[in-house]
Amino acid sequence: MFPALERELKQEALPDPYEDFMYHHLQYYGYFKAQRGSLPDCATHQHVWKRNPRYVLNDSFGERDDLISHTLQKEKLPWSTCLSSAVHKQREAVSRGISCPSRPENSGSCMGMPSPPEKEDVHLFPFPLADSLMLNSPLLRSKQLLYDELDEVNPRLREPQELFAFFSTRGPLQAPRWPIECEVIKENIHHIEWVPPQPEYFYQPTGDEKVPEIVGEEKGTVVYQLDSVPTEGSYFTSSRVGGKRGSIKECAVTLQGPEDNTLLFESRFESGNLQKAVRVDTYEYELTLRTDLYTNKHTQWFYFRVQNTRKDATYRFTIVNLLKPKSLYTVGMKPLMYSQLDANIHNIGWRREGNEIKYYKNNTDDGQQPFYCLTWTIQFPHDQDTCFFAHFYPYTYTNLQCYLLSVANNPKQSQFCKLRTLCRSLAGNTVYLLTITNPSQTPQEAAAKKAVVLSARVHPGESNGSWIMKGFLDFILSNSPDAQLLRDIFVFKVVPMLNPDGVIVGNYRCSLAGRDLNRHYKTILKETFPCIWYTRHMIKRLLEAREVLLYCDFHGHSRKNNIFLYGCNNNDRKYWLHERVFPLMLSKNAPDKFSFHSCNFKVQKCKEGTGRVVMWRMGILNSYTMESTFGGSTLGSKRDTHFTIEDLKSLGYHVCDTLLDFCDPDQTKFTQCLAELKALLQQEIHKKLNEFGHNMDLEGSWSDISLSDIESSTSGSDSSLSDELPVHLRNIADEFNQKKKALKKKKKKALQTRKQRNEQYQKNNLMQELKLTEETLERAGYASTLQKQPTFLKNSENSHSSTMKNEKPRLKETQLIGRDKGTSLDPSMTTLILTKNKEKMQSKKLGVTVSCTPKGSTNSSQEPVPGMKSNWPRTRYPVTKRGRADMVVYPSLHIYTYP
């Protein structure tokens, strides 16, 4: 018999693992006693479980399968009862801390198929099965239904927070997922962290730097080239671990012997992005960077490897397709180099290297967009070495996972740092969310905590943000008294890598949607931009629960030195200049790294879709983008030196230090900063006026000048411009907007509360009764003493509006005391609030009070209506046992209330 056929027959004879698991799982709890054959087709469910779009937030892995099985339709009642009871038991288990263990991706983990239950091991139902049961069971009711943007129900259950067990010492890390077009080498690239013992100074141009002429592959020899790279016109379809299937093609040339000194290039690893290398001379190479996937631009970041080096030779590298007209390479920035032999032997890591550095315009023009070149020379430290070159210190998705693994396995840090999945990226990679805070003693203490939201790597080529984020996490997770204090008073929500897909493939600015995520924070396309859609909605929910004191997104800057912030001007004079206090404090805490004068607070139209502006418009006053240079500092003791990894990590500490200064109960520092800001602003206004030839005394009126008119623009490069959505996404967005507009038109009038209905009912009846009374008096020959709009009615309305105004602060105070759901107010505080409000009501002068007795009621108690005055005769009622004030009623005037 053929071996392949024999294997197939053996496989058919074996029980299906999914069916076997479900049978044992349900039988274990005593809910299912049917035959195994009555279960749904396991192969279909297993297929959906591994590639269902709800886990990767897009339909990249295929169309959604129909999950309704005929068997389940026949067994609605037993299965629905089984599911609800089993899920209840599972939720109890999860609340006790029993969760799904993490295993390798293809060995039946929570990400794949669940394993059979053990005695102390409880697993969650896979959602394809849960969906089927929910759709077919008329008895199953759940509060976990998901709603879309139009408040329409999606027939699927909300994903439990504990569904994914991220890290465990029993299994490996989740492997990165690549687009299926990308070839990926199997080597694991690892670099050590190292701080140079001496400052690394900027390169000082001599003026004699060579400007090599671009030769191209017509006159040179292609020694490295990637063939199938998706560019503009194509779009992301699907992904898998390891990228493209099949054997990896050899992109570099084959050496002809030991004397062949051709360099061997490679970049098919995490964050690498070299497209082509052309040898134009013995030791001279022209390099072409790969554009961001599914685009034809954004070439700035570079990261690649060379092998077969020679020690005594001087090599020249020229990158020929950079797009930015301005660069820090024109003011002394050097490329980074890493020697594998130096790292292994001398423990030396990344260092700034290069001579004859020149940034200039390319002399070739393709008629579409101008290109710019970066050229430099280098001497390698060893023969036959493996060296890397990079635009900045790389920080990959695997680096982040290794760091989070160490946090999850730390018994102390894991107590106050909770790791969750915010969402899945377009390719299915996990976007992690960290919640960092010390456990609170009481619900009131937990509700009183303010929130701080930090994020990084929305632009994947700006690895500066990850190093600042690492420094922040190192400090906030430490045993430092300041860190413990910050955890006591704040809840930190941290998204350390917003764009993991772009980081993995080596993009500079875009996600796999081919668009800049930091221009789409207002997006409605959840499946296309899941990372920022879920981030925005996470912050929106957070704002409903507590005040967000600070939002900051960490970025890198390619045209300016130092570190600085972009913020948003506040038009409310009550908080005038307050958004500038935190940046000024940070500049005082890190004077040799942070430049306040480089900060900008102007909100431009082209930046309306950025995280900074969107969060500011959502109500976060202190909303910032932190820009860290790729170069170095021009300030203080670090003047004219490159930033190291340690410099960037130290800024994460300074952010924490500045938070403590900013929230210090002693407002001396805050007041001093405000005074200094006013003085600086006055100087800036005088400077601007002098430039235009005006001489004006600004005393008393200078603070009314718009701050946006004073500051210059933060733009200056093509990176500020936002590309339109591609056609296939634009159509989806247009259809969604049309549906949303149609839904708004169909919306019914908002329902009124009982109190509002009663008030409206009272007003209408009062007007009718008064009109009838006036007509009766006129017929009796009396002069009309009533106006068409009675004064007491006006007073009643004014009194009601003032009462409502007085109630608002009381409601806010109540919400502050018990903000969390299920949190009751302190009894003594509740009594105090009610007593004060009763005293306020009794202190008001009461005029005419109208009967609020329903028709046919015999109850003689009357409700007072304050503020009503009239010359009408009135009847006084004695004070009752309930403590009511004197009541005044009109004869035969009845006002009815709704029950």
Side-chain angles (χ1 to χ4, degrees):
M1 184 180 288
F2 295 105
L5 181 60
E6 188 177 357
R7 283 196 300 271
E8 286 184 9
L9 292 176
K10 286 182 179 179
Q11 288 176 357
E12 289 178 3
L14 292 173
D16 188 280
Y18 180 82
E19 183 176 343
D20 192 59
F21 156 68
M22 290 304 301
Y23 177 79
H24 286 293
H25 184 80
L26 296 174
Q27 194 178 52
Y28 176 80
Y29 290 110
Y31 295 117
F32 182 67
K33 298 179 181 179
Q35 298 298 319
R36 297 189 185 189
S38 63
L39 282 169
D41 181 20
C42 52
T44 303
H45 284 290
Q46 182 174 0
H47 179 61
V48 176
W49 175 254
K50 288 188 176 180
R51 66 173 196 138
N52 198 303
R54 73 173 53 88
Y55 297 109
V56 296
L57 304 175
N58 72 324
D59 291 333
S60 303
F61 306 136
E63 298 296 330
R64 300 179 70 167
D65 296 318
D66 184 9
L67 303 177
I68 304 176
S69 91
H70 297 291
T71 306
L72 292 177
Q73 288 178 352
K74 295 176 183 178
E75 301 180 1
K76 288 180 182 177
L77 181 59
W79 274 93
S80 62
T81 310
C82 153
L83 176 68
S84 59
S85 303
V87 168
H88 177 69
K89 281 184 174 289
Q90 292 175 52
R91 286 177 177 170
E92 288 183 348
V94 169
S95 66
R96 295 196 304 267
I98 304 174
S99 60
C100 198
S102 113
R103 298 180 178 88
E105 182 179 356
N106 297 322
S107 62
S109 67
C110 295
M111 292 300 302
M113 296 303 301
S115 300
E118 299 174 2
K119 195 167 186 179
E120 296 295 332
D121 200 10
V122 180
H123 297 272
L124 296 176
F125 274 96
F127 276 109
L129 178 61
D131 283 352
S132 299
L133 299 176
M134 182 178 65
L135 288 171
N136 287 279
S137 172
L139 302 179
L140 184 62
R141 297 291 182 268
S142 172
K143 296 180 180 179
Q144 296 296 309
L145 286 177
L146 287 180
Y147 293 80
D148 61 15
E149 287 272 359
L150 301 178
D151 292 334
E152 295 179 351
V153 178
N154 272 331
R156 57 194 177 101
L157 291 175
R158 193 181 302 274
E159 201 170 83
Q161 286 187 331
E162 295 290 350
L163 181 62
F164 305 111
F166 303 110
F167 300 120
S168 172
T169 54
R170 292 176 292 175
L173 296 172
Q174 177 192 353
R177 301 188 68 92
W178 295 70
I180 57 172
E181 300 96 333
C182 296
E183 291 185 343
V184 186
I185 62 173
K186 305 303 181 185
E187 296 179 55
N188 293 322
I189 308 299
H190 172 71
H191 303 302
I192 63 171
E193 289 187 32
W194 177 72
V195 179
Q198 301 296 328
E200 296 180 309
Y201 286 94
F202 292 160
Y203 172 73
Q204 299 299 321
T206 62
D208 298 327
E209 286 79 15
K210 179 183 176 182
V211 179
E213 182 181 355
I214 306 305
V215 174
E217 57 184 279
E218 291 80 8
K219 298 181 181 179
T221 304
V222 177
V223 295
Y224 176 82
Q225 183 165 9
L226 295 180
D227 292 329
S228 57
V229 176
T231 57
E232 189 179 31
S234 59
Y235 53 88
F236 173 77
T237 56
S238 58
S239 68
R240 65 184 295 270
V241 173
K244 193 173 183 179
R245 294 181 183 274
S247 59
I248 301 299
K249 179 183 175 182
E250 187 59 52
C251 291
V253 295
T254 303
L255 296 179
Q256 300 302 314
E259 300 301 322
D260 191 346
N261 58 5
T262 304
L263 288 179
L264 302 178
F265 290 83
E266 185 58 82
S267 68
R268 292 172 295 174
F269 45 79
E270 273 194 83
S271 299
N273 72 333
L274 183 65
Q275 169 76 45
K276 182 169 64 174
V278 178
R279 188 182 190 185
V280 297
D281 202 349
T282 307
Y283 298 110
E284 188 170 346
Y285 296 86
E286 291 178 3
L287 311 177
T288 302
L289 301 181
R290 195 211 67 218
T291 59
D292 284 6
L293 292 189
Y294 313 108
T295 76
N296 65 347
K297 57 175 124 179
H298 304 301
T299 51
Q300 184 69 29
W301 164 264
F302 61 87
Y303 179 32
F304 59 90
R305 184 184 74 184
V306 294
Q307 292 176 310
N308 195 36
T309 62
R310 298 295 186 267
K311 181 179 179 181
D312 297 327
T314 299
Y315 290 82
R316 176 176 290 277
F317 297 103
T318 304
I319 299 175
V320 300
N321 66 329
L322 297 172
L323 286 171
K324 291 195 175 184
K326 296 180 181 179
S327 173
L328 287 168
Y329 290 109
T330 62
V331 291
M333 178 175 158
K334 293 182 178 182
L336 281 162
M337 190 196 76
Y338 184 95
S339 165
Q340 195 70 58
L341 288 176
D342 275 347
N344 295 338
I345 300 172
H346 306 292
N347 203 35
I348 296 174
W350 288 100
R351 59 186 187 262
R352 300 282 179 172
E353 293 288 351
N355 289 296
E356 299 185 50
I357 301 171
K358 184 77 174 179
Y359 193 88
Y360 60 99
K361 188 174 181 180
N362 195 329
N363 55 10
T364 59
D365 188 2
D366 63 354
Q368 295 180 351
Q369 53 187 345
F371 288 117
Y372 296 84
C373 299
L374 169 66
T375 186
W376 75 96
T377 60
I378 193 78
Q379 287 188 334
F380 292 110
H382 304 284
D383 285 325
Q384 300 298 329
D385 195 4
T386 296
C387 293
F388 295 83
F389 289 95
H391 183 56
F392 202 73
Y393 303 100
Y395 192 94
T396 64
Y397 183 63
T398 299
N399 292 146
L400 173 67
Q401 287 192 306
C402 290
Y403 183 83
L404 296 180
L405 175 63
S406 67
V407 174
N409 289 335
N410 188 308
K412 290 185 178 179
Q413 292 179 346
S414 58
Q415 291 179 0
F416 50 77
C417 177
K418 302 303 178 184
L419 191 60
R420 296 288 183 265
T421 291
L422 176 67
C423 64
R424 297 283 175 173
S425 68
L426 204 59
N429 293 297
T430 303
V431 180
Y432 297 101
L433 172 66
L434 282 67
T435 302
I436 304 170
T437 189
N438 281 341
S440 303
Q441 300 298 323
T442 63
Q444 289 79 8
E445 180 185 337
K449 288 185 177 182
K450 296 182 180 180
V452 173
V453 181
L454 302 176
S455 61
R457 297 302 286 279
V458 69
H459 292 151
E462 298 171 1
S463 57
N464 338 40
S466 283
W467 291 108
I468 296 176
M469 179 64 77
K470 188 175 187 299
F472 165 79
L473 291 174
D474 284 344
F475 179 77
I476 201 65
L477 298 176
S478 68
N479 293 325
S480 165
D482 284 351
Q484 293 178 12
L485 178 59
L486 284 168
R487 296 195 301 266
D488 284 336
I489 60 179
F490 288 114
V491 175
F492 292 93
K493 293 286 186 177
V494 180
V495 187
M497 192 170 284
L498 272 166
N499 189 355
D501 294 348
V503 173
I504 289 168
V505 301
N507 280 2
Y508 173 59
R509 199 165 185 87
C510 297
S511 71
L512 293 183
R515 294 299 180 269
D516 181 352
L517 293 183
N518 201 37
R519 297 295 182 270
H520 292 278
Y521 267 90
K522 297 191 292 185
T523 185
I524 58 175
L525 301 175
K526 178 171 64 172
E527 284 75 20
T528 305
F529 305 108
C531 308
I532 54 174
W533 192 94
Y534 277 94
T535 300
R536 187 185 78 222
H537 280 259
M538 178 271 292
I539 297 174
K540 183 179 178 181
R541 293 194 303 271
L542 188 63
L543 283 166
E544 294 171 356
R546 64 186 75 246
E547 177 188 348
V548 177
L549 180 73
L550 179 86
Y551 165 85
C552 191
D553 190 23
F554 298 152
H555 285 248
H557 206 281
S558 64
R559 293 174 290 113
K560 295 167 68 175
N561 278 310
N562 305 313
I563 300 171
F564 47 94
L565 289 174
Y566 290 148
C568 305
N569 277 326
N570 199 304
N571 297 324
D572 189 349
R573 291 292 163 177
K574 181 180 177 183
Y575 301 107
W576 193 57
L577 298 178
H578 281 208
E579 72 280 352
R580 303 175 184 230
V581 173
F582 184 84
L584 184 60
M585 286 183 171
L586 188 54
S587 70
K588 294 179 182 298
N589 289 332
D592 54 354
K593 304 181 187 73
F594 191 91
S595 170
F596 178 76
H597 293 286
S598 296
C599 296
N600 198 294
F601 302 89
K602 186 172 184 176
V603 178
Q604 299 168 260
K605 187 175 181 180
C606 65
K607 302 294 181 70
E608 286 288 338
T610 61
R612 161 179 62 104
V613 178
V614 171
M615 303 311 163
W616 176 62
R617 297 204 184 282
M618 285 170 59
I620 303 176
L621 174 64
N622 302 294
S623 181
Y624 305 108
T625 295
M626 178 174 286
E627 298 282 356
S628 169
T629 181
F630 288 108
S633 174
T634 61
L635 306 169
S637 60
K638 290 192 172 291
R639 185 179 181 88
D640 296 332
T641 62
H642 290 88
F643 280 145
T644 64
I645 289 175
E646 201 62 32
D647 290 327
L648 297 177
K649 290 167 67 176
S650 71
L651 199 78
Y653 156 74
H654 289 305
V655 168
C656 296
D657 192 31
T658 306
L659 265 175
L660 288 175
D661 291 338
F662 190 69
C663 299
D664 196 334
D666 181 2
Q667 291 291 292
T668 303
K669 291 181 180 179
F670 194 95
T671 307
Q672 288 177 352
C673 286
L674 272 181
E676 186 176 339
L677 285 168
K678 290 177 182 178
L680 287 171
L681 189 60
Q682 265 186 317
Q683 295 175 10
E684 188 67 25
I685 294 174
H686 277 292
K687 182 180 176 181
K688 289 285 183 183
L689 292 175
N690 290 334
E691 289 177 2
F692 292 102
H694 297 289
N695 190 7
M696 184 187 298
D697 184 12
L698 297 175
E699 283 299 325
S701 63
W702 69 276
S703 60
D704 294 329
I705 296 177
S706 174
L707 299 179
S708 298
D709 297 335
I710 301 168
E711 291 185 312
S712 60
S713 168
T714 61
S715 65
S717 69
D718 61 342
S719 62
S720 297
L721 304 177
S722 176
D723 294 328
E724 291 186 356
L725 290 171
V727 176
H728 69 285
L729 296 180
R730 204 179 309 145
N731 294 336
I732 297 173
D734 291 342
E735 289 176 7
F736 190 92
N737 286 327
Q738 290 175 4
K739 191 175 180 182
K740 200 170 185 179
K741 288 178 182 178
L743 191 67
K744 283 184 178 179
K745 291 180 181 178
K746 292 181 181 179
K747 274 191 175 180
K748 296 181 180 179
K749 188 177 179 181
L751 295 176
Q752 292 181 322
T753 63
R754 179 183 295 179
K755 185 176 181 180
Q756 291 171 332
R757 296 198 307 271
N758 286 341
E759 289 168 356
Q760 188 63 38
Y761 195 77
Q762 289 175 10
K763 287 180 184 179
N764 294 339
N765 280 276
L766 266 177
M767 294 300 295
Q768 291 178 4
E769 294 286 345
L770 290 171
K771 187 176 181 181
L772 288 173
T773 306
E774 187 177 5
E775 291 175 355
T776 304
L777 291 173
E778 286 178 353
R779 283 197 296 269
Y782 294 101
S784 177
T785 58
L786 295 174
Q787 302 297 325
K788 290 185 178 179
Q789 190 171 1
T791 306
F792 75 86
L793 188 59
K794 293 181 182 179
N795 293 338
S796 174
E797 293 175 1
N798 294 337
S799 173
H800 170 69
S801 62
S802 64
T803 304
M804 292 297 289
K805 288 178 182 178
N806 290 333
E807 285 179 357
K808 286 180 181 178
R810 177 167 59 86
L811 289 173
K812 288 182 179 179
E813 186 177 0
T814 304
Q815 292 168 356
L816 284 172
I817 296 170
R819 186 173 288 169
D820 286 352
K821 291 182 180 179
T823 303
S824 58
L825 293 176
D826 182 65
S828 59
M829 185 61 69
T830 308
T831 306
L832 180 62
I833 293 172
L834 293 175
T835 305
K836 287 184 177 180
N837 289 327
K838 191 175 289 184
E839 290 174 357
K840 287 180 182 179
M841 293 297 294
Q842 291 178 356
S843 65
K844 293 183 179 180
K845 294 182 179 179
L846 301 178
V848 179
T849 305
V850 184
S851 170
C852 296
T853 308
K855 190 173 183 178
S857 174
T858 58
N859 187 4
S860 61
S861 62
Q862 308 294 330
E863 291 288 344
V865 179
M868 299 182 67
K869 297 182 181 179
S870 176
N871 294 327
W872 283 58
R874 59 184 182 177
T875 304
R876 288 188 178 273
Y877 287 79
V879 178
T880 64
K881 292 182 180 180
R882 294 182 181 179
R884 299 195 177 218
D886 293 345
M887 308 300 241
V888 182
V889 295
Y890 290 99
S892 69
L893 182 62
H894 299 283
I895 298 200
Y896 309 110
T897 60
Y898 289 90

